[in-house]
Each structure stands twice: as C-alpha cells, then as structure tokens.
Amino acid sequence: AEWLACAILLHRAWAAAIRIDDASLKPSISAGMLPQQLVPFARASGASLARTLALQLFLATSFAWVGTNGATEALGAHQLLMQVYVVISFSTDALALAAQSLVARARTRT
C-alpha cells in the first residue's frame, strides 16, 4: 500500500511539473550522470541501511530462537518486550530526527 501511494504521488507530481512547463521544474539528469549524482546519497544512507538490516536480522533470529523452544509464556513475554523496544526505538528515532534538523539549521546559518 505504501509503494502504491508513493507511485501515485510521484506520478501526480510529475504530471503537474509537465503541465506547468517550467524549465526549472524539469529534471536535468542524463543517463551517464545518474550514478555520480547518487553517490552522496548512497554514502549518507549507508549507515541507516546497515542499521535497519542488522535490526531485522536480530528480530528474525530472536523470534526464531524463542519460537523453536516451544515455551508459549516466553514467546508472549518476548513479544511484550519487543513492543516496548519498538516504542523506545521509535521515540529515539524521533529525537534523532529532531536533532538532525537542528544541526542542519544551525549549519546553514553560519
């Protein structure tokens, strides 16, 4: 559903940019320049990608380990603690996002 909504949004944005027919809104990306333009984004998002993959690997491994032991009480407790962990993780991500925006704002002023 998220990918579908993203595709619809991008399609509508692209259609609006074409209707406006303003040269500043049209992308100026050639096929040869695309990899060089994406290198800074790949470097910046590499740490986030590694963290997400490590988290998914940890979650899959821990659920598999708890599930194979056959202890339903342990599985329920594990699920409860995982929900607490997810809430804490999202709240620290929100704080990190706020801190990043404050740092970006401070750096653009100087």
Side-chain angles (χ1 to χ4, degrees):
E2 291 175 5
W3 284 103
L4 179 63
C6 180
I8 291 170
L9 178 66
L10 287 175
H11 177 16
R12 288 185 180 176
W14 186 262
I18 290 173
R19 277 195 308 266
I20 292 172
D21 199 23
D22 186 5
S24 64
L25 293 177
K26 291 183 181 177
S28 62
I29 298 174
S30 64
M33 291 298 293
L34 188 60
Q36 290 84 11
Q37 291 174 342
L38 293 179
V39 167
F41 297 112
R43 285 186 187 147
S45 64
S48 178
L49 178 64
R51 183 185 66 141
T52 302
L53 291 175
L55 178 63
Q56 292 298 321
L57 179 67
F58 166 74
L59 290 175
T61 306
S62 62
F63 279 124
W65 180 77
V66 171
T68 56
N69 286 339
T72 56
E73 293 86 12
L75 189 59
H78 184 265
Q79 182 63 32
L80 178 69
L81 290 176
M82 285 307 300
Q83 289 299 319
V84 171
Y85 173 78
V86 166
V87 168
I88 292 171
S89 172
F90 283 151
S91 62
T92 56
D93 277 348
L95 289 174
L97 179 65
Q100 287 174 357
S101 71
L102 289 174
V103 168
R105 180 182 291 179
R107 289 196 62 165
T108 57
R109 288 184 183 170
T110 58

